[in-house]
Amino acid sequence: MLRIGCHLSSSKGFLAMGREAVKIGANTFQFFTRNPRGGKAKELDLADVGAYLEFAKEHGIAQILAHAPYTLNACAKDEGLRRFAYETMCDDLQRLSHIPGSMYNFHPGSHVKQGVEIGIAYISEMLNRINAHGYDTMILLETMAGKGSEMGRNFEELRAIIDRVEDTQRLGVCLDTCHVFDGGYDIVDDLDGVLGEFDKVIGLVRLKAVHINDSKNPLGSRKDRHEKIGEGEIGLDAFARIVTHPRLRDLPFYLETPNELAGYQKEIMLLRALAEQPV
Ligand code: FE
Ligand code: FE
Ligand code: ZN
């Protein structure tokens, strides 16, 4: 059974997200740990978390994906901003320890004219400091489209970060289909080739989740504009190959397409149908 869900608003708490997920046919979901623009997170409501865990067990929601605020920049030039990224992630991971099996995805950051080398050094340094706390949540680096000075624009950059982290037991990668396509990886005409490249450079054992989004822009455009499934440049045939690929089909998939709940429900049904089609 395909594990698929979408990004949900966390404003009403965990149980509400669980109910919403089930309502639209999802068996997993993604959420922001706090306002995506940053800022303080609400106090974690342990009763809500407990009720959610009960509900999740009943409804077969095994694993969920938390997304760090996208404004965090672990490789900012300003030391205060780097510290803020570190402290926010520590606080998020502390909270996530109440939700066993969850994973935590973050954007590596933007080096903003400091250069890729400095970016790699700061990000890996932060991950080493985070690891010192011994959080049990799997942390995922997201593959990025490479807009501006965004880090993680190719597999090599992610590999270079991972190489500098001492304990990589709880470090993985989340592949965003829109981002890698925008980054020049041709998942439409050469999915096998791209996954082979991922395996060679990073290792497919590190791949823990997929953000499943179509792209408004063509291959290599580095724009990062998500489109509804089948309505963009990636297209439905490619998504059929993605959800059935032996190296991908057992991973959890998360929609971050421009949709309301009803639209997500349709896409989940569509992708489930594609996944069950004989290839
Ligand atoms: Fe993201
Ligand atoms: Fe994404
Ligand atoms: Zn994106």
Side-chain angles (χ1 to χ4, degrees):
M1 174 102 149
L2 191 65
R3 277 192 288 161
I4 186 165
C6 63
H7 189 90
L8 294 175
S9 161
S10 52
S11 62
K12 292 195 210 96
F14 284 95
L15 181 59
M17 284 192 283
R19 287 191 198 285
E20 220 160 54
V22 168
K23 211 169 84 188
I24 60 170
N27 49 4
T28 183
F29 58 89
Q30 176 179 266
F31 61 100
F32 282 125
T33 51
R34 62 190 71 215
N35 185 317
R37 303 208 149 270
K40 229 176 132 38
K42 269 191 299 190
E43 200 62 46
L44 190 65
D45 178 349
L46 288 176
D48 173 53
V49 169
Y52 161 73
L53 289 173
E54 192 73 19
F55 181 87
K57 206 182 336 166
E58 258 167 58
H59 290 85
I61 301 175
Q63 188 174 47
I64 54 177
L65 181 59
H67 195 306
Y70 48 70
T71 46
L72 296 188
N73 189 0
C75 58
K77 188 165 185 172
D78 180 79
E79 207 239 306
L81 292 178
R82 292 201 303 278
R83 193 185 328 120
F84 177 71
Y86 164 73
E87 284 169 359
T88 303
M89 285 182 65
C90 285
D91 185 49
D92 282 349
L93 288 160
Q94 178 59 47
R95 293 154 166 276
L96 289 170
S97 66
H98 293 282
I99 304 164
S102 53
M103 301 192 288
Y104 185 56
N105 174 72
F106 80 108
H107 295 179
S110 289
H111 65 72
V112 216
K113 290 187 188 146
Q114 299 175 97
V116 170
E117 276 311 309
I118 303 255
I120 290 165
Y122 280 146
I123 296 162
S124 51
E125 186 182 287
M126 182 193 72
L127 288 169
N128 281 324
R129 286 168 64 210
I130 286 174
N131 274 340
H133 294 270
Y135 301 118
D136 47 17
T137 300
M138 174 72 68
I139 300 176
L140 307 183
L141 293 153
E142 183 168 349
T143 60
M144 301 308 293
K147 249 187 332 183
S149 66
E150 218 166 48
M151 298 287 304
R153 62 200 280 131
N154 55 42
F155 300 158
E156 283 78 8
E157 283 187 11
L158 295 178
R159 173 59 197 252
I161 294 166
I162 294 166
D163 272 345
R164 292 211 195 183
V165 177
E166 281 147 37
D167 179 0
T168 60
Q169 261 189 87
R170 287 182 189 81
L171 187 57
V173 173
C174 173
L175 182 137
D176 186 309
T177 56
C178 168
H179 296 174
V180 292
F181 186 72
D182 271 27
Y185 292 99
D186 192 355
I187 53 172
V188 174
D189 287 324
D190 189 19
L191 180 60
D192 278 327
V194 172
L195 293 176
E197 180 75 8
F198 188 106
D199 198 28
K200 196 181 80 193
V201 177
I202 301 175
L204 277 168
V205 288
R206 294 244 179 248
L207 185 55
K208 304 293 182 191
V210 177
H211 283 167
I212 187 160
N213 305 307
D214 213 327
S215 173
K216 281 196 199 298
N217 297 103
L219 179 70
S221 59
R222 299 204 182 276
K223 289 252 174 40
D224 192 2
R225 298 283 310 283
H226 300 191
E227 183 52 283
K228 293 189 174 92
I229 298 298
E231 295 183 21
E233 297 287 326
I234 296 177
L236 219 49
D237 291 349
F239 286 113
R241 290 191 288 273
I242 287 167
V243 293
T244 53
H245 197 284
R247 306 305 291 270
L248 301 178
R249 66 187 177 205
D250 295 325
L251 296 170
F253 291 89
Y254 300 93
L255 292 156
E256 303 172 310
T257 46
N259 271 311
E260 303 293 323
L261 278 185
Y264 280 132
Q265 182 168 23
K266 265 193 220 149
E267 290 188 343
I268 289 167
M269 276 170 59
L270 173 66
L271 290 165
R272 283 201 193 285
L274 292 176
E276 275 149 35
Q277 238 170 54
V279 241

